[in-house]
Amino acid sequence: MTEKAQRAQNLEFTNTNKWDTRQLVTMALMCAIAALLSFIQIPLIPGVTFLTYDPSLMPAMVCGFAFGPGAGIAVGAVAAVIHGLILGEWVGSLMNIVATLCFVWPAAALYRRKRTFKQGVIGLVVSVLAATVGAIAANLTIGVLFWYGSVDVILPMLLPAIVPFNLVKGTVNAALTLIVYKAVSNLITPKKSQVKGH
């Protein structure tokens, strides 16, 4: 066999996928769970009916901790798209994708650098704050453009409704993530990345 043919054969059997089959299966399962959880709608702010909590970002964050920020964001984004397609709410899906990016990326990125319980908690605190800022930005841009029609409609609601809602939402999702990830981490996390003694 010539050297060129040998190189071609090696390339043919080299797995260049970032995510292996087990990770993809786990991510698909988490997408399904997140999509189902997105239909749980719990009002948190009295009198503000369009602000409802759902725990769909928890599976995305669990995947983010297990496999990295890209995996977590992919799970959350796919779940948001599925939810939007079923209900015909593409604007809501876009807002949820922004929420996924702001919530999952900071904590998952920090945790990937140092896989300890303390680092995970610090990352989640950063994520709650980032998601709250992201929600404000999304409401003032996407929300104004497609829902409210004017900044004057949403501005009076930022401090009494939007900010506290997203702080509570993020805190609940962070707490659920810690509980669930601790329970399933050694089942879904690649062995080389597992953390002992959380």
Side-chain angles (χ1 to χ4, degrees), residues 10 13 46 48 57 71 82-83 93 97 102 113 118 133 137 155 162 179 189 198:
N10 289 339
F13 293 101
V48 186
L57 285 179
I82 292 172
H83 184 91
S93 290
I97 290 171
C102 293
R113 294 174 64 182
K118 180 180 178 181
V133 172
L155 274 180
I162 302 295
I179 294 168
T189 306
H198 282 273

Side-chain angles (χ1 to χ4, degrees), residues 136-152:
I136 294 171
N139 274 281
L140 291 176
T141 53
I142 300 170
V144 168
L145 189 60
F146 296 106
W147 278 343
Y148 312 122
S150 170
V151 175
D152 296 334

